[in-house]
Amino acid sequence: MARPLSLKEISKKEVLISSGHRMCAGCGAPTVIKMVLLASDYPIIAATATGCLEVSTCISDYTAWKIPWIHSAFENAAATISGVETMYRSLKKQGVISKEIKFVAFGGDGGTYDIGLQSLSGAVERGHDMLYICYDNQAYMNTGIQRSSATPRGADTTTMPAGSVVPGKTEPRKNLTRIMAAHDLPYAAQASPSHWMDLMKKVRKAFDIKGPKFMNILSPCNRGWRSRTDEAIMLSRLAVETCHWPLYEVEYGVTKITFKPKEKKPIVDFLKPQGRFKHLFKPENEWMIKKLQEDIDREWERLQKEASLSAP
Amino acid sequence: MAKTVAATGNEAVANALRQVNPDVSAAYPITPATDIMQRFTSFVSNGKVKTEMILVESEHSAMSACIGASAAGGRVMTVTSSQGLALMWEMLFIASGLRLPIVMPVVNRALSAPLNIHCDHSDAMGARDSGWIQLWSENGQEAYDNTIQAFLIGEHMDIRLPVMVCMDGFIISHSIERIEYLEDNEVKNFIGEFRQLNPLLDIEHPVSYGPLILPDYYMEFRKAQDEVESKVFRVVLDAAKDFEKISGRKYGLFETYRLDDAEIGLVILNSAAGTSKDVIDEFRNRGIKAGLLKPRLYRPFPYKETGEALKHLKAVCVLDRADAFGGSYGPLFIDISTSLYTYSKKPILINKIYGLGGRDYLPEHAELVLNELTEIAKTEKVKTIKEYIGVRG
Amino acid sequence: MKLKGWGELTPGAVILEAGNAVEFKTGSWRSFRPIWKEENCIQCLFCWLYCPDMAIKVKDGKRAEFDYDYCKGCGTCALECPGKKGQKAIVMVEEAK
Ligand SMILES: Cc1ncc(C[n+]2csc(CCOP(=O)(O)OP(=O)(O)O)c2C)c(N)n1
Ligand code: SF4
Ligand code: SF4
Ligand code: SF4
Ligand SMILES: [Mg+2]
């Protein structure tokens, strides 16, 4: 029986990622992982792509993982977990194993949107019973804040630094959640640690669905976003409230917005506290903010329309 | 009771894999290895094996999935060639570094560019230092036998390393020869049950695979792996001994052919060794003491034993079916010269590059080389150390 | 800790002791220290949930003390703490030098 989703109840569970990991102070990623692990009552085996999460949670001779865990390379968390899951199916069929086990892969945005997209697409198409979670911190953080296809328009990164000619990233983000939903997989969702109940519900739902599932979870990075160390949750909340990061799910093709802000805040509220967007507030770059807002408005409109079409 | 059939190399290897009956296989098509997987998946589709297939979207994912499956705790294999092996390159080191006993027949084929689907050894040679054990096979029979032994060797508790079994593309993979198959249960008993080591699926004992290792430990892990390599020779010889009991066929670290009293000799891998042996017989008939050494265990390389076997010769030609760019010698030549390096009295060595991209290796090539060696043995003079043969001027 | 020699390592660098990262204390990273003011605490447990370092303990569903062995002093708990009547139950103070 799954525990009710109240903090009082789930706080009685053992957290399956331990203290002593070496993510930066105030990093959003460990909190995201913690929520995912807390949401499940099933035993979990995880694969993790190379990136901040991987290098900081498992540094020989220490591991912060209290579940079976494997890292093999950067672009292949989905392929790696599909191997683990297939061995499980094989041994289960042979009667060697009987336990119910769930399989998760964690990848950063670089490891998911970019270099790992092929491996993820392949694993989803093959129908492995797994949940792939992208912890999206919107750049290649582990190697020092380089631009990824998840980096928002306008952001200052070390490979597209804001300069006198180039005003930070000139292209909009890749809409990966939509790309994954277009695989017609059983479940795709977007979540944010600020909305923990929504996040955990989605994880639970995902684990109870057979087949491939995908979740894209926003994971603030104070080092790369140039924000304060105490703002991870606050910024992820603002991302949701500005509709920069809408919370929704697509279950068997049916789109549902799981959280509608009472009042959609202007994107400036999300940009302001972050040093990576500082240059956008110079008069000559204000058009970028306008563009960003347009991107968001368009996607939010589209999403609402999609959801209304799906509505019963 | 063994069964004799007429089969291609690919067919024989596919049959060996059927008899081994692995738990999981991940694969991606590439000529000339595709045929093995097509045959194997038909065993899967018809319930002849218990194997769960992962039909991946690339060789990189094939090896990644094999790594996941092997770490999960079971018997795993895949098959590839050429570009496929090249695409796996990153993952080869990870498979060996994580000490996962994955078995992979490699049907040797040239590397692009220019694109060529025919035999040479550039693919496996490029992976020779990836920490995988490499067994090379002259013909379909050896490919079959090596594939079976590969599981026993790689899975040995003192070893736990992945193993490549190399055979020549088309020349062997697609040619029909007479092959003796073991009985299914003989193979089953020979390889035994898969023994798990720290499996991920043991959720009562959670383990972490693939940590970041800082300079304080990386070198110790490398050294530990180097030590393991040194244990491979013994295990390969033990496996060969056990295999002989059930098959009657003898295997060693390498094969020598009329080498004991030879004065000149060839060192050559895989199918071309067969052609060479016939020519050596002709030379022997003419009273010329020619012999041959055909490496089998190419990685780790048995330097000491190879040097011992060759040191008494006067002149030796190492024939490479791959070249090393950069003005270097062929890879086999470099290993053979290293194996002789410590001896003060040793044969004169020359290196011929032959058979690239499927160019035929003919008896007359062997003849040419043996004639040259006869001359070198007499005069102790070498014109060119390294030379392409069978190439137009 | 004495570093192991090559002969003492597990094959493939596999780590067999789950969660042994707790042996690595990260408390020294802190330049600010969170202080819990129990009187203002409403037991919402947000701090426990949001702490990225599992440095807030909960006993029988109730918030307990900070674990300063691991707290990196990020301040997330303090920022997110609703407290009572506008009074935070967590405040950050500079670590004594
Ligand atoms: C094939 C390969 N290319 C590049 C790298 C270098 N690399 C390691 S982690 C990383 C960035 C990871 O970014 P992301 O996936 O977004 O995770 P994050 O570190 O931001 O959490 C890069 C580029 C690598 N390890 N492997
Ligand atoms: S760089 Fe960013 S993502 Fe990486 S550990 Fe630090 S805060 Fe987290
Ligand atoms: S967040 Fe504040 S009020 Fe809530 S439990 Fe923690 S200390 Fe108490
Ligand atoms: S300051 Fe940060 S690390 Fe310390 S207890 Fe609060 S949230 Fe956790
Ligand atoms: Mg990232």
Side-chain angles (χ1 to χ4, degrees):
Chain A
M1 241 325 271
R3 286 174 197 270
L5 267 181
S6 78
L7 290 187
K8 203 174 164 64
E9 276 308 309
I10 56 170
S11 69
K12 292 175 186 159
K13 283 185 60 175
E14 186 187 5
V15 182
L16 293 171
I17 180 165
S18 78
S19 304
H21 65 72
R22 296 180 230 184
M23 311 286 289
C24 302
C27 176
T31 306
V32 167
I33 304 309
K34 177 179 173 179
M35 288 178 181
V36 171
L37 297 177
L38 278 170
S40 164
D41 283 332
Y42 296 105
I44 293 175
I45 299 180
T48 301
T50 314
C52 272
L53 176 69
E54 168 267 324
V55 301
S56 320
T57 53
C58 194
I59 303 184
S60 195
D61 243 355
Y62 300 111
T63 180
W65 298 89
K66 298 190 191 178
I67 56 173
W69 179 86
I70 181 168
H71 155 251
S72 72
F74 183 24
E75 62 279 56
N76 64 353
T80 305
I81 202 70
S82 65
V84 182
E85 185 263 351
T86 307
M87 183 57 79
Y88 168 70
R89 264 189 292 122
S90 178
L91 298 185
K92 203 165 182 195
K93 213 154 98 187
Q94 295 174 51
V96 181
I97 298 184
S98 54
K99 272 221 164 72
E100 189 71 13
I101 302 176
K102 300 289 175 183
F103 299 88
V104 188
F106 296 109
D109 49 295
T112 308
Y113 285 66
D114 291 343
I115 198 167
L117 185 57
Q118 173 185 319
S119 143
L120 171 59
S121 177
V124 165
E125 184 273 334
R126 293 191 300 271
H128 294 281
D129 190 14
M130 57 151 204
L131 168 60
Y132 189 102
I133 290 185
C134 174
Y135 69 100
D136 182 353
N137 53 25
Q138 307 195 324
Y140 295 102
M141 296 309 178
N142 183 48
T143 37
I145 326 170
Q146 292 84 24
R147 168 206 193 278
S148 81
S149 62
T151 305
R153 198 201 282 280
D156 176 44
T157 57
T158 54
T159 44
M160 238 180 156
S164 56
V165 179
V166 179
K169 187 178 172 187
T170 44
E171 304 77 25
R173 293 164 44 77
K174 183 190 276 183
N175 193 334
L176 181 66
T177 312
R178 261 187 100 191
I179 293 171
M180 293 319 296
H183 282 71
D184 280 342
L185 79 180
Y187 189 73
Q190 222 163 252
S192 159
S194 54
H195 295 65
W196 59 270
M197 177 79 94
D198 175 80
L199 185 154
M200 288 194 188
K201 271 191 191 154
K202 284 170 178 163
V203 172
R204 280 204 173 172
K205 185 183 257 184
F207 277 133
D208 283 328
I209 295 172
K210 231 183 151 46
K213 285 84 59 177
F214 173 80
M215 280 182 69
N216 204 354
I217 307 183
L218 189 67
S219 179
C221 157
N222 54 68
R223 194 167 141 261
W225 294 13
R226 312 225 172 93
S227 51
R228 292 165 46 115
T229 59
D230 57 0
E231 290 175 339
I233 301 303
M234 182 199 94
L235 286 173
S236 62
R237 188 178 297 118
L238 282 170
V240 172
E241 289 171 352
T242 55
C243 295
H244 169 71
W245 195 264
L247 302 183
Y248 69 100
E249 62 188 10
V250 184
E251 193 180 346
Y252 294 108
V254 175
T255 303
K256 192 172 142 208
I257 296 173
T258 56
F259 175 81
K260 252 190 205 167
K262 279 196 202 80
E263 193 187 334
K264 184 167 140 223
K265 291 189 170 155
I267 189 62
V268 173
D269 291 9
F270 175 66
L271 306 180
K272 257 279 158 60
Q274 303 182 51
R276 62 175 172 157
F277 296 117
K278 196 173 75 197
H279 59 287
L280 297 186
F281 292 91
K282 288 186 195 156
E284 68 269 27
N285 288 333
E286 269 173 7
W287 63 273
M288 290 278 286
I289 298 187
K290 240 183 89 197
K291 248 193 139 59
L292 251 168
Q293 186 67 61
E294 281 166 20
D295 294 342
I296 287 167
D297 293 346
R298 198 180 328 109
E299 171 58 13
W300 182 236
E301 272 306 307
R302 190 202 62 74
L303 193 61
Q304 283 178 301
K305 209 172 286 164
E306 191 179 297
S308 72
L309 288 176
S310 298
Chain B
M1 260 306 288
K3 192 166 71 188
T4 306
V5 297
T8 64
N10 276 352
E11 209 175 331
V13 168
N15 191 47
L17 294 171
R18 179 190 62 76
Q19 295 180 308
V20 166
N21 200 0
D23 299 302
V24 169
S25 171
Y28 194 80
I30 182 161
T31 309
T34 316
D35 178 40
I36 298 178
M37 268 309 162
Q38 286 172 344
R39 291 172 189 278
F40 188 80
T41 47
S42 85
F43 299 142
V44 175
S45 289
N46 294 297
K48 300 271 197 288
V49 286
K50 65 182 180 198
T51 313
E52 288 290 328
M53 288 302 304
I54 314 177
L55 297 166
V56 282
E57 81 301 330
S58 76
E59 286 89 350
H60 193 285
S61 285
M63 190 44 66
S64 301
C66 284
I67 286 168
S70 184
R75 197 167 261 153
V76 178
M77 66 87 178
T78 182
V79 174
T80 197
S81 280
S82 180
Q83 304 308 115
L85 187 65
L87 188 57
M88 280 180 191
W89 206 73
E90 180 193 30
M91 300 316 297
L92 295 178
F93 289 77
I94 294 173
S96 62
L98 295 177
R99 303 280 300 276
L100 300 171
I102 299 158
V103 170
M104 176 163 69
V106 173
V107 186
N108 298 117
R109 164 185 151 180
L111 281 176
S112 275
L115 178 64
N116 176 295
I117 60 164
H118 296 280
C119 177
D120 75 31
H121 300 160
S122 318
D123 53 2
M125 282 300 168
R128 69 190 185 278
D129 295 332
S130 61
W132 284 58
I133 295 170
Q134 285 191 346
L135 296 171
W136 291 67
S137 329
E138 179 178 328
N139 48 40
Q141 182 72 64
E142 289 190 11
Y144 170 83
D145 294 348
N146 280 340
T147 301
I148 294 165
Q149 290 173 69
F151 286 91
L152 193 70
I153 296 164
E155 290 172 13
H156 192 285
M157 278 307 193
D158 291 346
I159 306 294
R160 304 305 276 199
L161 281 175
V163 189
M164 277 178 214
V165 177
C166 301
M167 73 165 152
D168 284 350
F170 291 107
I171 303 166
I172 298 304
S173 68
H174 287 65
S175 315
I176 294 179
E177 58 179 276
R178 181 188 168 280
I179 294 176
E180 251 184 48
Y181 287 154
L182 296 167
E183 289 295 329
D184 290 359
N185 65 352
E186 284 176 323
V187 174
K188 194 173 162 210
N189 294 336
F190 177 75
I191 56 170
E193 288 281 317
F194 180 82
R195 281 173 297 168
Q196 296 185 323
L197 183 66
N198 305 322
L200 284 171
L201 288 172
D202 179 4
I203 46 172
E204 314 300 336
H205 301 97
V207 294
S208 289
Y209 270 84
L212 172 74
I213 306 237
L214 300 174
D216 63 349
Y217 266 120
Y218 188 83
M219 196 136 169
E220 279 66 31
F221 275 101
R222 282 292 154 203
K223 169 68 186 157
Q225 196 148 351
D226 185 51
E227 266 324 290
V228 171
E229 301 273 340
S230 70
K231 295 186 190 157
V232 172
F233 307 110
R234 175 84 265 133
V235 171
V236 167
L237 290 173
D238 287 349
K241 220 180 283 160
D242 291 347
F243 192 77
E244 189 186 345
K245 282 184 211 140
I246 57 167
S247 68
R249 291 185 289 277
K250 264 192 198 319
Y251 285 95
L253 302 175
F254 46 75
E255 182 196 328
T256 55
Y257 186 72
R258 307 185 84 161
L259 195 66
D260 287 351
D261 64 337
E263 290 174 355
I264 60 170
L266 305 179
V267 179
I268 195 160
L269 281 162
N270 277 13
S271 67
T275 314
S276 304
K277 286 176 197 165
D278 296 341
V279 180
I280 282 170
D281 288 343
E282 283 171 32
F283 273 67
R284 283 275 176 176
N285 290 342
R286 281 157 38 196
I288 297 167
K289 289 185 170 171
L292 173 143
L293 185 144
K294 178 189 76 182
R296 172 180 180 242
L297 177 69
Y298 185 59
R299 279 295 178 273
F301 194 81
Y303 289 100
K304 223 176 80 207
E305 295 81 352
T306 308
E308 270 308 298
L310 289 172
K311 65 168 202 260
H312 63 279
L313 276 79
K314 288 185 176 154
V316 169
C317 177
V318 182
L319 289 112
D320 269 289
R321 200 164 204 150
D323 198 3
F325 294 123
S328 172
Y329 299 100
L332 184 57
F333 179 85
I334 297 173
D335 281 318
I336 296 299
S337 45
T338 308
S339 75
L340 288 162
Y341 173 75
T342 50
Y343 298 92
S344 49
K345 202 179 151 306
K346 56 193 160 207
I348 296 172
L349 291 181
I350 57 169
N351 186 201
K352 304 288 183 200
I353 309 293
Y354 75 99
L356 302 185
R359 178 63 49 91
D360 283 335
Y361 175 75
L362 302 169
E364 62 228 48
H365 293 129
E367 233 173 271
L368 212 75
V369 173
L370 286 168
N371 280 333
E372 188 180 336
L373 287 176
T374 313
E375 193 60 24
I376 291 172
K378 221 182 289 165
T379 62
E380 297 191 357
K381 285 210 178 75
V382 174
K383 273 198 282 274
T384 7
I385 302 178
K386 176 187 165 186
E387 200 176 28
Y388 275 55
I389 58 170
V391 69
R392 288 184 301 279
Chain C
M1 193 183 71
K2 192 180 161 291
L3 294 175
K4 292 181 198 148
W6 63 261
E8 305 164 86
L9 306 176
T10 37
V14 177
I15 301 175
L16 305 178
E17 239 183 291
N20 67 349
V22 290
E23 289 166 30
F24 188 88
K25 307 275 165 80
T26 51
S28 61
W29 295 19
R30 198 170 53 236
S31 48
F32 286 88
R33 168 185 287 256
I35 308 283
W36 183 36
K37 307 213 154 183
E38 200 174 346
E39 64 277 19
N40 295 334
C41 179
I42 59 165
Q43 292 293 343
C44 65
L45 301 185
F46 290 160
C47 54
W48 166 79
L49 180 68
Y50 290 138
C51 173
D53 286 282
M54 283 55 78
I56 295 169
K57 301 289 157 203
V58 170
K59 254 196 216 116
D60 309 321
K62 290 216 139 175
R63 193 216 198 273
E65 252 309 335
F66 286 107
D67 189 341
Y68 292 112
D69 279 349
Y70 303 105
C71 166
K72 293 174 187 160
C74 68
T76 306
C77 53
L79 190 79
E80 292 301 323
C81 173
K84 205 187 271 174
K85 295 185 190 140
Q87 296 292 308
K88 290 262 183 198
I90 303 173
V91 290
M92 301 300 291
V93 299
E94 207 162 339
E95 277 288 340
K97 295 266 155 59

